Amino acid sequence: MSISRFPSVVDDVTVRLIAAVVLVVGIVALATQQWWLYAVLAVDFSLRAAIGPSASPVARLVQRWIRPAVSAPKRPTAGPPKRFAAAIGAVMTVAATVLWVVSLVTGSSAALTAVVAIGVVMVLFPALESLFGVCVGCLLFGLLMRVGLVPEEVCVECADITKRRARLLAERAGKAA
């Protein structure tokens, strides 16, 4: 297996389906107090953020089995904000995993309370993405670009919406020909 890079353009429908899977796992973790599920999500988010969706078991599951069953046409969207969102998911789930282990070792109720708080966020964020198409990580990425903390070169398409419009028009013209 070759190490791939995170794609510059991803299918928004697939991303929302991946978020739906994360949402289900997050709900199960909270409802059943199976905190080890955050470790599973931490590995998946970390692989997705570091290498790309081809390394993510959840993304591969969605791409192979779930996305083909959804008839919605592909909706291209910029990849770098989605990678940033996956990195946020990685940080959150790694933190939840570490805090869960701390609570097991020390019996700390504060650590367990923090795990639950992170768990709520790990339900809220993927719910917003999967149900409403609102990517909190992407919004933060855009804000960081506007204030200059993320350079425009990281995502030229994100910095200049006209580039996305031009690409979409060119794709449509190519399909019509």
Side-chain angles (χ1 to χ4, degrees):
M1 177 174 112
S2 67
I3 295 179
S4 67
R5 298 176 47 92
F6 204 97
S8 60
V9 176
V10 295
D11 175 29
D12 190 58
V13 176
T14 301
V15 170
R16 289 178 71 176
L17 292 169
I18 291 167
V21 172
V22 172
L23 173 61
V24 168
V25 174
I27 289 171
V28 169
L30 273 177
T32 63
Q33 298 181 5
Q34 296 298 309
W35 310 124
W36 61 270
L37 289 170
Y38 294 128
V40 173
L41 287 175
V43 169
D44 187 79
F45 274 120
S46 297
L47 288 170
R48 196 166 351 127
I51 300 171
S54 65
S56 158
V58 171
R60 291 177 63 103
L61 166 84
V62 168
Q63 290 167 343
R64 182 169 178 141
W65 299 102
I66 301 171
R67 179 60 172 113
V70 176
S71 63
K74 288 187 175 191
R75 289 196 305 256
T77 191
K82 300 301 182 183
R83 182 180 199 174
F84 182 75
I88 291 171
V91 168
M92 299 290 288
T93 53
V94 165
T97 302
V98 168
L99 288 164
W100 169 61
V101 171
V102 166
S103 75
L104 286 176
V105 171
T106 66
S108 169
S109 62
L112 197 53
T113 300
V115 171
V116 173
I118 292 170
V120 170
V121 172
M122 292 310 301
V123 166
L124 179 63
F125 284 11
L128 288 170
E129 173 78 48
S130 64
L131 300 173
F132 305 109
V134 175
C135 174
V136 176
C138 300
L139 294 172
L140 182 56
F141 183 88
L143 175 68
L144 293 172
M145 283 190 80
R146 282 191 294 283
V147 299
L149 293 175
V150 173
E152 285 186 14
E153 301 81 46
V154 171
C155 186
V156 174
E157 189 171 283
C158 302
D160 185 356
I161 193 69
T162 61
K163 298 209 183 299
R164 180 183 303 163
R165 189 174 312 126
R167 182 181 49 77
L168 290 173
L169 289 173
E171 286 176 6
R172 287 185 190 136
K175 288 180 184 175

